[in-house]
Amino acid sequence: MDNSSLRVSPRYLGRMLLDTFCPRCLFYQIMLRFHAPFEMPMPGLMYHLDIFEKRFVDRYLAANGELPPGMEKLRCTEAVSVPRKLTAEFPEFNLTLVGMLDAVFRRRDDTLTVVDYKTATCRGEDDPFLPAYKVQLLGYAELLEQAELGPVTGAALVYFENRSKEYRDSPLDLATDDGFSLPFSITTVPVELDRKALKPLMKRFREIADLNLPPKGREGCKDCARLQYLLDDESNRRSVEDHQRNRDGLARVTSRRLQADRELALRGWDGSDDSLSVPPDLHLVDSIPGSTDL
């Protein structure tokens, strides 16, 4: 792969810490610049939920001077406006870190807290994605500080949990005059930032990106298995096409040779008359593989 600068989000760096991480899959994702085939956009419902969650927190803070219930432990006083997309250069790895932050709040000591919203059930330390989430927040903190927006001293995951399962036996309790409403609760999980964790991941990411051939995949990786199926199927189809082309080429040359033999026989050639030259394309027969070679 070329040695040019690559753009990577903290989210992809964080995935390298998960048990499900596969270096071979990451290699192909880098090749495709993280635009995978058959990619589907975020479902409309999730997209609108994401917008609503951010708007709800901002409006609540503006109206009440404090964050909504479930976020009090952040002890922040105001929302901080930041660019929609932030970037930071890491020339030692020839990487550009790119991130789109959910929210940034100012603390009472004038430092910043970066927050990432999750529309999911909070599992605390048992969340298998927690290592990736921590790196995601660490990357966002790095982006804020390199943009000189202020020192980051806090980080948190804010979970918006759908509580509809509590109404499984009484769904009509959620009925409204024109449909139904879904209850959500807010749970905040503070995250300690490990400032030394980011660069080793960047180094490993760059090493995978610089490989000429894909590395060995994780054993049992289902994505690798699906990818290999596509690669093998494509190879088999091309092999069949090449085989058919060779057979067709052999048939054409053989046909020309038989035609030439018939013409020579009609002219009475017995091998003694040098004036009757062999047709110029007969030497091509020797370059065509035998049927056992096809």
mmCIF file of all heavy atoms in Angstrom, residues 156-196:
data_model
loop_
_atom_site.group_PDB
_atom_site.id
_atom_site.type_symbol
_atom_site.label_atom_id
_atom_site.label_comp_id
_atom_site.label_asym_id
_atom_site.label_seq_id
_atom_site.Cartn_x
_atom_site.Cartn_y
_atom_site.Cartn_z
ATOM 1 N N ALA A 156 -16.745 11.241 29.285
ATOM 2 C CA ALA A 156 -17.830 10.383 29.756
ATOM 3 C C ALA A 156 -18.612 9.802 28.601
ATOM 4 O O ALA A 156 -18.703 10.396 27.517
ATOM 5 C CB ALA A 156 -18.770 11.169 30.674
ATOM 6 N N LEU A 157 -19.173 8.642 28.850
ATOM 7 C CA LEU A 157 -20.153 8.027 27.963
ATOM 8 C C LEU A 157 -21.527 8.292 28.560
ATOM 9 O O LEU A 157 -21.734 8.091 29.764
ATOM 10 C CB LEU A 157 -19.921 6.522 27.857
ATOM 11 C CG LEU A 157 -18.592 6.088 27.244
ATOM 12 C CD1 LEU A 157 -18.342 4.604 27.510
ATOM 13 C CD2 LEU A 157 -18.578 6.361 25.756
ATOM 14 N N VAL A 158 -22.443 8.767 27.736
ATOM 15 C CA VAL A 158 -23.808 9.016 28.192
ATOM 16 C C VAL A 158 -24.736 8.090 27.416
ATOM 17 O O VAL A 158 -24.874 8.211 26.195
ATOM 18 C CB VAL A 158 -24.209 10.494 27.992
ATOM 19 C CG1 VAL A 158 -25.673 10.692 28.366
ATOM 20 C CG2 VAL A 158 -23.324 11.397 28.840
ATOM 21 N N TYR A 159 -25.343 7.156 28.140
ATOM 22 C CA TYR A 159 -26.216 6.153 27.524
ATOM 23 C C TYR A 159 -27.674 6.613 27.610
ATOM 24 O O TYR A 159 -28.170 6.941 28.689
ATOM 25 C CB TYR A 159 -26.087 4.812 28.243
ATOM 26 C CG TYR A 159 -24.752 4.135 28.061
ATOM 27 C CD1 TYR A 159 -23.674 4.451 28.876
ATOM 28 C CD2 TYR A 159 -24.573 3.169 27.069
ATOM 29 C CE1 TYR A 159 -22.444 3.812 28.713
ATOM 30 C CE2 TYR A 159 -23.345 2.533 26.902
ATOM 31 C CZ TYR A 159 -22.296 2.863 27.730
ATOM 32 O OH TYR A 159 -21.079 2.232 27.569
ATOM 33 N N PHE A 160 -28.341 6.600 26.465
ATOM 34 C CA PHE A 160 -29.781 6.803 26.408
ATOM 35 C C PHE A 160 -30.399 5.410 26.249
ATOM 36 O O PHE A 160 -30.324 4.798 25.179
ATOM 37 C CB PHE A 160 -30.166 7.709 25.243
ATOM 38 C CG PHE A 160 -29.733 9.139 25.427
ATOM 39 C CD1 PHE A 160 -28.442 9.533 25.140
ATOM 40 C CD2 PHE A 160 -30.622 10.083 25.924
ATOM 41 C CE1 PHE A 160 -28.028 10.845 25.325
ATOM 42 C CE2 PHE A 160 -30.232 11.399 26.108
ATOM 43 C CZ PHE A 160 -28.926 11.787 25.811
ATOM 44 N N GLU A 161 -30.972 4.916 27.347
ATOM 45 C CA GLU A 161 -31.455 3.533 27.379
ATOM 46 C C GLU A 161 -32.962 3.470 27.137
ATOM 47 O O GLU A 161 -33.741 4.119 27.847
ATOM 48 C CB GLU A 161 -31.134 2.885 28.720
ATOM 49 C CG GLU A 161 -29.644 2.879 29.056
ATOM 50 C CD GLU A 161 -29.363 2.163 30.363
ATOM 51 O OE1 GLU A 161 -29.554 0.934 30.409
ATOM 52 O OE2 GLU A 161 -28.973 2.832 31.338
ATOM 53 N N ASN A 162 -33.356 2.680 26.169
ATOM 54 C CA ASN A 162 -34.768 2.467 25.884
ATOM 55 C C ASN A 162 -35.336 1.515 26.944
ATOM 56 O O ASN A 162 -34.877 0.382 27.076
ATOM 57 C CB ASN A 162 -34.918 1.872 24.480
ATOM 58 C CG ASN A 162 -36.369 1.707 24.080
ATOM 59 O OD1 ASN A 162 -37.276 1.809 24.887
ATOM 60 N ND2 ASN A 162 -36.571 1.441 22.803
ATOM 61 N N ARG A 163 -36.339 1.982 27.665
ATOM 62 C CA ARG A 163 -36.914 1.187 28.761
ATOM 63 C C ARG A 163 -38.224 0.518 28.374
ATOM 64 O O ARG A 163 -38.988 0.093 29.242
ATOM 65 C CB ARG A 163 -37.132 2.084 29.975
ATOM 66 C CG ARG A 163 -35.821 2.591 30.588
ATOM 67 C CD ARG A 163 -36.056 3.606 31.688
ATOM 68 N NE ARG A 163 -37.137 3.222 32.575
ATOM 69 C CZ ARG A 163 -38.190 3.992 32.878
ATOM 70 N NH1 ARG A 163 -38.303 5.196 32.328
ATOM 71 N NH2 ARG A 163 -39.115 3.561 33.703
ATOM 72 N N SER A 164 -38.481 0.370 27.090
ATOM 73 C CA SER A 164 -39.759 -0.218 26.670
ATOM 74 C C SER A 164 -39.910 -1.667 27.116
ATOM 75 O O SER A 164 -41.033 -2.163 27.269
ATOM 76 C CB SER A 164 -39.905 -0.123 25.150
ATOM 77 O OG SER A 164 -38.860 -0.822 24.500
ATOM 78 N N LYS A 165 -38.782 -2.355 27.362
ATOM 79 C CA LYS A 165 -38.885 -3.759 27.791
ATOM 80 C C LYS A 165 -39.584 -3.872 29.151
ATOM 81 O O LYS A 165 -40.132 -4.934 29.485
ATOM 82 C CB LYS A 165 -37.508 -4.394 27.851
ATOM 83 C CG LYS A 165 -36.551 -3.761 28.826
ATOM 84 C CD LYS A 165 -35.188 -4.428 28.748
ATOM 85 C CE LYS A 165 -34.200 -3.752 29.710
ATOM 86 N NZ LYS A 165 -32.856 -4.356 29.609
ATOM 87 N N GLU A 166 -39.573 -2.787 29.918
ATOM 88 C CA GLU A 166 -40.270 -2.804 31.198
ATOM 89 C C GLU A 166 -41.787 -2.842 31.013
ATOM 90 O O GLU A 166 -42.528 -3.126 31.959
ATOM 91 C CB GLU A 166 -39.885 -1.573 32.019
ATOM 92 C CG GLU A 166 -38.394 -1.501 32.344
ATOM 93 C CD GLU A 166 -38.024 -0.212 33.037
ATOM 94 O OE1 GLU A 166 -38.954 0.498 33.506
ATOM 95 O OE2 GLU A 166 -36.826 0.115 33.115
ATOM 96 N N TYR A 167 -42.243 -2.550 29.809
ATOM 97 C CA TYR A 167 -43.676 -2.515 29.514
ATOM 98 C C TYR A 167 -44.080 -3.662 28.596
ATOM 99 O O TYR A 167 -45.105 -3.594 27.926
ATOM 100 C CB TYR A 167 -44.033 -1.172 28.872
ATOM 101 C CG TYR A 167 -43.791 0.008 29.784
ATOM 102 C CD1 TYR A 167 -42.519 0.586 29.876
ATOM 103 C CD2 TYR A 167 -44.819 0.534 30.553
ATOM 104 C CE1 TYR A 167 -42.290 1.661 30.714
ATOM 105 C CE2 TYR A 167 -44.593 1.627 31.396
ATOM 106 C CZ TYR A 167 -43.322 2.169 31.474
ATOM 107 O OH TYR A 167 -43.098 3.241 32.304
ATOM 108 N N ARG A 168 -43.275 -4.704 28.599
ATOM 109 C CA ARG A 168 -43.564 -5.838 27.714
ATOM 110 C C ARG A 168 -44.937 -6.441 27.995
ATOM 111 O O ARG A 168 -45.648 -6.855 27.076
ATOM 112 C CB ARG A 168 -42.467 -6.887 27.908
ATOM 113 C CG ARG A 168 -42.528 -8.054 26.943
ATOM 114 C CD ARG A 168 -41.318 -8.936 27.114
ATOM 115 N NE ARG A 168 -40.092 -8.184 26.878
ATOM 116 C CZ ARG A 168 -38.891 -8.556 27.317
ATOM 117 N NH1 ARG A 168 -38.763 -9.665 28.036
ATOM 118 N NH2 ARG A 168 -37.825 -7.828 27.050
ATOM 119 N N ASP A 169 -45.320 -6.506 29.271
ATOM 120 C CA ASP A 169 -46.607 -7.105 29.627
ATOM 121 C C ASP A 169 -47.734 -6.079 29.702
ATOM 122 O O ASP A 169 -48.901 -6.448 29.891
ATOM 123 C CB ASP A 169 -46.489 -7.821 30.980
ATOM 124 C CG ASP A 169 -45.497 -8.974 30.927
ATOM 125 O OD1 ASP A 169 -45.392 -9.608 29.859
ATOM 126 O OD2 ASP A 169 -44.821 -9.224 31.947
ATOM 127 N N SER A 170 -47.377 -4.801 29.569
ATOM 128 C CA SER A 170 -48.424 -3.760 29.628
ATOM 129 C C SER A 170 -48.125 -2.670 28.601
ATOM 130 O O SER A 170 -47.969 -1.498 28.959
ATOM 131 C CB SER A 170 -48.496 -3.156 31.028
ATOM 132 O OG SER A 170 -47.209 -2.674 31.421
ATOM 133 N N PRO A 171 -48.039 -3.034 27.324
ATOM 134 C CA PRO A 171 -47.680 -2.048 26.290
ATOM 135 C C PRO A 171 -48.679 -0.914 26.167
ATOM 136 O O PRO A 171 -48.305 0.191 25.751
ATOM 137 C CB PRO A 171 -47.618 -2.886 25.010
ATOM 138 C CG PRO A 171 -48.474 -4.075 25.289
ATOM 139 C CD PRO A 171 -48.309 -4.366 26.748
ATOM 140 N N LEU A 172 -49.934 -1.151 26.555
ATOM 141 C CA LEU A 172 -50.940 -0.098 26.418
ATOM 142 C C LEU A 172 -50.702 1.055 27.394
ATOM 143 O O LEU A 172 -51.274 2.137 27.222
ATOM 144 C CB LEU A 172 -52.344 -0.672 26.616
ATOM 145 C CG LEU A 172 -52.795 -1.677 25.535
ATOM 146 C CD1 LEU A 172 -54.222 -2.120 25.788
ATOM 147 C CD2 LEU A 172 -52.667 -1.058 24.141
ATOM 148 N N ASP A 173 -49.868 0.826 28.377
ATOM 149 C CA ASP A 173 -49.534 1.917 29.300
ATOM 150 C C ASP A 173 -48.751 3.025 28.596
ATOM 151 O O ASP A 173 -48.652 4.149 29.113
ATOM 152 C CB ASP A 173 -48.704 1.395 30.479
ATOM 153 C CG ASP A 173 -49.523 0.538 31.426
ATOM 154 O OD1 ASP A 173 -50.759 0.502 31.260
ATOM 155 O OD2 ASP A 173 -48.924 -0.111 32.310
ATOM 156 N N LEU A 174 -48.200 2.728 27.439
ATOM 157 C CA LEU A 174 -47.430 3.712 26.678
ATOM 158 C C LEU A 174 -48.263 4.375 25.587
ATOM 159 O O LEU A 174 -47.748 5.181 24.812
ATOM 160 C CB LEU A 174 -46.199 3.055 26.045
ATOM 161 C CG LEU A 174 -45.196 2.425 27.019
ATOM 162 C CD1 LEU A 174 -44.066 1.749 26.252
ATOM 163 C CD2 LEU A 174 -44.634 3.476 27.967
ATOM 164 N N ALA A 175 -49.547 4.030 25.536
ATOM 165 C CA ALA A 175 -50.407 4.565 24.477
ATOM 166 C C ALA A 175 -50.648 6.060 24.675
ATOM 167 O O ALA A 175 -50.758 6.563 25.796
ATOM 168 C CB ALA A 175 -51.733 3.820 24.455
ATOM 169 N N THR A 176 -50.709 6.768 23.543
ATOM 170 C CA THR A 176 -51.059 8.189 23.526
ATOM 171 C C THR A 176 -52.294 8.351 22.644
ATOM 172 O O THR A 176 -52.810 7.368 22.078
ATOM 173 C CB THR A 176 -49.904 9.038 22.981
ATOM 174 O OG1 THR A 176 -49.653 8.666 21.614
ATOM 175 C CG2 THR A 176 -48.637 8.821 23.794
ATOM 176 N N ASP A 177 -52.775 9.568 22.493
ATOM 177 C CA ASP A 177 -53.969 9.796 21.684
ATOM 178 C C ASP A 177 -53.739 9.457 20.214
ATOM 179 O O ASP A 177 -54.690 9.152 19.490
ATOM 180 C CB ASP A 177 -54.416 11.259 21.803
ATOM 181 C CG ASP A 177 -54.945 11.575 23.195
ATOM 182 O OD1 ASP A 177 -55.324 10.625 23.905
ATOM 183 O OD2 ASP A 177 -54.957 12.767 23.563
ATOM 184 N N ASP A 178 -52.499 9.543 19.758
ATOM 185 C CA ASP A 178 -52.253 9.287 18.337
ATOM 186 C C ASP A 178 -51.166 8.234 18.099
ATOM 187 O O ASP A 178 -50.566 8.175 17.037
ATOM 188 C CB ASP A 178 -51.854 10.589 17.630
ATOM 189 C CG ASP A 178 -50.644 11.242 18.276
ATOM 190 O OD1 ASP A 178 -50.166 10.710 19.305
ATOM 191 O OD2 ASP A 178 -50.183 12.272 17.760
ATOM 192 N N GLY A 179 -50.895 7.396 19.087
ATOM 193 C CA GLY A 179 -49.882 6.352 18.905
ATOM 194 C C GLY A 179 -49.353 5.872 20.233
ATOM 195 O O GLY A 179 -50.123 5.488 21.121
ATOM 196 N N PHE A 180 -48.052 5.902 20.411
ATOM 197 C CA PHE A 180 -47.465 5.515 21.694
ATOM 198 C C PHE A 180 -46.130 6.248 21.858
ATOM 199 O O PHE A 180 -45.552 6.748 20.891
ATOM 200 C CB PHE A 180 -47.245 3.996 21.768
ATOM 201 C CG PHE A 180 -46.306 3.452 20.725
ATOM 202 C CD1 PHE A 180 -44.937 3.373 20.966
ATOM 203 C CD2 PHE A 180 -46.790 3.003 19.500
ATOM 204 C CE1 PHE A 180 -44.069 2.867 20.008
ATOM 205 C CE2 PHE A 180 -45.923 2.503 18.543
ATOM 206 C CZ PHE A 180 -44.562 2.432 18.793
ATOM 207 N N SER A 181 -45.676 6.329 23.081
ATOM 208 C CA SER A 181 -44.398 6.972 23.393
ATOM 209 C C SER A 181 -43.461 5.936 23.989
ATOM 210 O O SER A 181 -43.898 4.982 24.643
ATOM 211 C CB SER A 181 -44.602 8.124 24.376
ATOM 212 O OG SER A 181 -45.124 7.646 25.603
ATOM 213 N N LEU A 182 -42.173 6.139 23.766
ATOM 214 C CA LEU A 182 -41.167 5.234 24.296
ATOM 215 C C LEU A 182 -40.371 5.941 25.379
ATOM 216 O O LEU A 182 -39.852 7.043 25.154
ATOM 217 C CB LEU A 182 -40.220 4.764 23.192
ATOM 218 C CG LEU A 182 -40.795 3.801 22.151
ATOM 219 C CD1 LEU A 182 -39.733 3.462 21.099
ATOM 220 C CD2 LEU A 182 -41.305 2.525 22.808
ATOM 221 N N PRO A 183 -40.239 5.328 26.545
ATOM 222 C CA PRO A 183 -39.486 5.956 27.631
ATOM 223 C C PRO A 183 -37.992 5.687 27.507
ATOM 224 O O PRO A 183 -37.568 4.595 27.120
ATOM 225 C CB PRO A 183 -40.054 5.275 28.878
ATOM 226 C CG PRO A 183 -40.443 3.911 28.399
ATOM 227 C CD PRO A 183 -40.898 4.078 26.963
ATOM 228 N N PHE A 184 -37.193 6.690 27.807
ATOM 229 C CA PHE A 184 -35.740 6.559 27.832
ATOM 230 C C PHE A 184 -35.224 7.065 29.169
ATOM 231 O O PHE A 184 -35.786 8.004 29.749
ATOM 232 C CB PHE A 184 -35.097 7.372 26.705
ATOM 233 C CG PHE A 184 -35.152 6.714 25.360
ATOM 234 C CD1 PHE A 184 -36.302 6.786 24.583
ATOM 235 C CD2 PHE A 184 -34.072 6.009 24.859
ATOM 236 C CE1 PHE A 184 -36.366 6.183 23.336
ATOM 237 C CE2 PHE A 184 -34.123 5.405 23.620
ATOM 238 C CZ PHE A 184 -35.272 5.488 22.849
ATOM 239 N N SER A 185 -34.158 6.462 29.636
ATOM 240 C CA SER A 185 -33.460 6.969 30.812
ATOM 241 C C SER A 185 -32.025 7.296 30.423
ATOM 242 O O SER A 185 -31.516 6.805 29.407
ATOM 243 C CB SER A 185 -33.479 5.936 31.945
ATOM 244 O OG SER A 185 -32.809 4.742 31.539
ATOM 245 N N ILE A 186 -31.383 8.136 31.234
ATOM 246 C CA ILE A 186 -30.018 8.570 30.947
ATOM 247 C C ILE A 186 -29.078 8.051 32.029
ATOM 248 O O ILE A 186 -29.349 8.216 33.227
ATOM 249 C CB ILE A 186 -29.927 10.102 30.877
ATOM 250 C CG1 ILE A 186 -30.846 10.646 29.777
ATOM 251 C CG2 ILE A 186 -28.495 10.545 30.622
ATOM 252 C CD1 ILE A 186 -30.887 12.164 29.706
ATOM 253 N N THR A 187 -27.992 7.415 31.605
ATOM 254 C CA THR A 187 -26.971 6.925 32.526
ATOM 255 C C THR A 187 -25.616 7.433 32.065
ATOM 256 O O THR A 187 -25.259 7.286 30.895
ATOM 257 C CB THR A 187 -26.941 5.388 32.576
ATOM 258 O OG1 THR A 187 -28.235 4.899 32.945
ATOM 259 C CG2 THR A 187 -25.902 4.893 33.573
ATOM 260 N N THR A 188 -24.869 8.056 32.970
ATOM 261 C CA THR A 188 -23.563 8.611 32.646
ATOM 262 C C THR A 188 -22.457 7.755 33.248
ATOM 263 O O THR A 188 -22.514 7.406 34.434
ATOM 264 C CB THR A 188 -23.442 10.048 33.168
ATOM 265 O OG1 THR A 188 -24.451 10.856 32.539
ATOM 266 C CG2 THR A 188 -22.078 10.636 32.849
ATOM 267 N N VAL A 189 -21.470 7.431 32.436
ATOM 268 C CA VAL A 189 -20.314 6.647 32.884
ATOM 269 C C VAL A 189 -19.052 7.471 32.640
ATOM 270 O O VAL A 189 -18.606 7.596 31.495
ATOM 271 C CB VAL A 189 -20.229 5.301 32.137
ATOM 272 C CG1 VAL A 189 -18.998 4.527 32.601
ATOM 273 C CG2 VAL A 189 -21.493 4.487 32.351
ATOM 274 N N PRO A 190 -18.456 8.048 33.692
ATOM 275 C CA PRO A 190 -17.195 8.776 33.512
ATOM 276 C C PRO A 190 -16.093 7.836 33.029
ATOM 277 O O PRO A 190 -16.046 6.658 33.415
ATOM 278 C CB PRO A 190 -16.891 9.310 34.915
ATOM 279 C CG PRO A 190 -18.215 9.302 35.619
ATOM 280 C CD PRO A 190 -18.964 8.128 35.071
ATOM 281 N N VAL A 191 -15.214 8.348 32.196
ATOM 282 C CA VAL A 191 -14.123 7.554 31.628
ATOM 283 C C VAL A 191 -12.806 8.246 31.917
ATOM 284 O O VAL A 191 -12.661 9.454 31.669
ATOM 285 C CB VAL A 191 -14.307 7.378 30.105
ATOM 286 C CG1 VAL A 191 -13.059 6.760 29.478
ATOM 287 C CG2 VAL A 191 -15.529 6.519 29.817
ATOM 288 N N GLU A 192 -11.860 7.498 32.447
ATOM 289 C CA GLU A 192 -10.528 8.035 32.693
ATOM 290 C C GLU A 192 -9.711 7.936 31.410
ATOM 291 O O GLU A 192 -9.656 6.871 30.777
ATOM 292 C CB GLU A 192 -9.836 7.272 33.815
ATOM 293 C CG GLU A 192 -8.497 7.858 34.221
ATOM 294 C CD GLU A 192 -7.878 7.163 35.417
ATOM 295 O OE1 GLU A 192 -8.591 6.369 36.065
ATOM 296 O OE2 GLU A 192 -6.690 7.405 35.696
ATOM 297 N N LEU A 193 -9.093 9.021 31.020
ATOM 298 C CA LEU A 193 -8.331 9.065 29.775
ATOM 299 C C LEU A 193 -6.901 8.593 29.999
ATOM 300 O O LEU A 193 -6.178 9.157 30.828
ATOM 301 C CB LEU A 193 -8.318 10.488 29.208
ATOM 302 C CG LEU A 193 -9.688 11.070 28.829
ATOM 303 C CD1 LEU A 193 -9.532 12.522 28.393
ATOM 304 C CD2 LEU A 193 -10.350 10.247 27.744
ATOM 305 N N ASP A 194 -6.517 7.554 29.254
ATOM 306 C CA ASP A 194 -5.145 7.064 29.295
ATOM 307 C C ASP A 194 -4.383 7.729 28.161
ATOM 308 O O ASP A 194 -4.433 7.283 27.011
ATOM 309 C CB ASP A 194 -5.129 5.535 29.148
ATOM 310 C CG ASP A 194 -3.722 4.969 29.174
ATOM 311 O OD1 ASP A 194 -2.761 5.731 29.396
ATOM 312 O OD2 ASP A 194 -3.582 3.742 28.952
ATOM 313 N N ARG A 195 -3.677 8.785 28.464
ATOM 314 C CA ARG A 195 -3.044 9.610 27.438
ATOM 315 C C ARG A 195 -1.991 8.848 26.632
ATOM 316 O O ARG A 195 -1.634 9.259 25.531
ATOM 317 C CB ARG A 195 -2.408 10.843 28.083
ATOM 318 C CG ARG A 195 -3.399 11.770 28.751
ATOM 319 C CD ARG A 195 -4.229 12.519 27.734
ATOM 320 N NE ARG A 195 -5.133 13.480 28.345
ATOM 321 C CZ ARG A 195 -5.727 14.456 27.681
ATOM 322 N NH1 ARG A 195 -5.512 14.591 26.386
ATOM 323 N NH2 ARG A 195 -6.545 15.286 28.285
ATOM 324 N N LYS A 196 -1.459 7.770 27.170
ATOM 325 C CA LYS A 196 -0.399 7.035 26.485
ATOM 326 C C LYS A 196 -0.937 5.949 25.545
ATOM 327 O O LYS A 196 -0.170 5.275 24.879
ATOM 328 C CB LYS A 196 0.537 6.391 27.510
ATOM 329 C CG LYS A 196 1.266 7.393 28.394
ATOM 330 C CD LYS A 196 2.185 6.676 29.387
ATOM 331 C CE LYS A 196 2.929 7.668 30.262
ATOM 332 N NZ LYS A 196 3.810 6.977 31.250
#
